[in-house]
Amino acid sequence: QVQLVESGGGLVQAGGSLRLSCAASGSIASINTMGWYRQAPGKQRELVAMFYYGGKTSYADSVKGRFTISRDNAKNAAYLQMNNLKPEDAAVYYCNLKTYRTLSAISGDYWGQGTQVTVSS
C-alpha cells in the first residue's frame, strides 16, 4: 500500500512563497514519476509540475519561472517551491506518484489528500 502525505500549504500574500512537501511510503517501484497537480473551485485538476524518471522536469506555462519541483529519492519525497505567488495560484494542491513495471507500462497511480494554498491579493 502506497501512501502520500502532503504538507506546507497555507495562506500567503501575493508575491510570497510557499514550499510544499510530499512524502511517499510503502512499496514503491524504482521506476516512478512524482508530480504536483492543483484544482481550484469549479475548475478541473491540472498538472503543475512533474519530475520524471531520469531527472527531467516539466511545468505548466502558468508557473514556469516561479515554481520549482525537486525530489529526494532517498526519502521518496518531492517538493514544490512556489515563489511570487499570485491569487490565481490558489487551489488545493495534490501530490501524485505514478509507478511503472517498465518505462511504458504503468503499474500504479497514487494521490495524496491535498493541501490548500490560499493567496491573498
Side-chain angles (χ1 to χ4, degrees):
Q1 183 76 9
V2 175
Q3 288 189 323
L4 303 177
V5 178
E6 302 110 331
S7 61
L11 172 64
V12 64
Q13 286 189 332
S17 298
L18 284 174
R19 185 176 187 247
L20 305 183
S21 299
C22 174
S25 61
S27 180
I28 300 169
S30 59
I31 304 176
N32 62 75
T33 63
M34 291 188 79
W36 290 94
Y37 291 71
R38 68 186 181 187
Q39 187 168 20
K43 295 188 176 181
Q44 288 189 331
R45 189 173 296 190
E46 62 174 353
L47 176 64
V48 176
M50 183 67 70
F51 198 110
Y52 294 95
Y53 179 73
K56 183 180 177 181
T57 59
S58 67
Y59 298 90
D61 288 342
S62 59
V63 307
K64 282 181 181 176
R66 300 187 297 120
F67 290 12
T68 303
I69 188 171
S70 59
R71 284 194 64 166
D72 184 335
N73 290 325
K75 296 181 179 179
N76 284 322
Y79 308 95
L80 186 68
Q81 178 66 42
M82 304 185 294
N83 297 328
N84 190 23
L85 281 159
K86 303 176 180 181
E88 53 264 40
D89 293 319
V92 178
Y93 282 71
Y94 297 90
C95 179
N96 174 255
L97 169 70
K98 291 181 176 62
T99 59
Y100 297 82
R101 284 190 292 271
T102 69
L103 289 177
S104 59
I106 191 169
S107 59
D109 191 6
Y110 307 96
W111 294 89
Q113 80 286 356
T115 185
Q116 178 71 50
V117 171
T118 304
V119 184
S120 64
S121 56

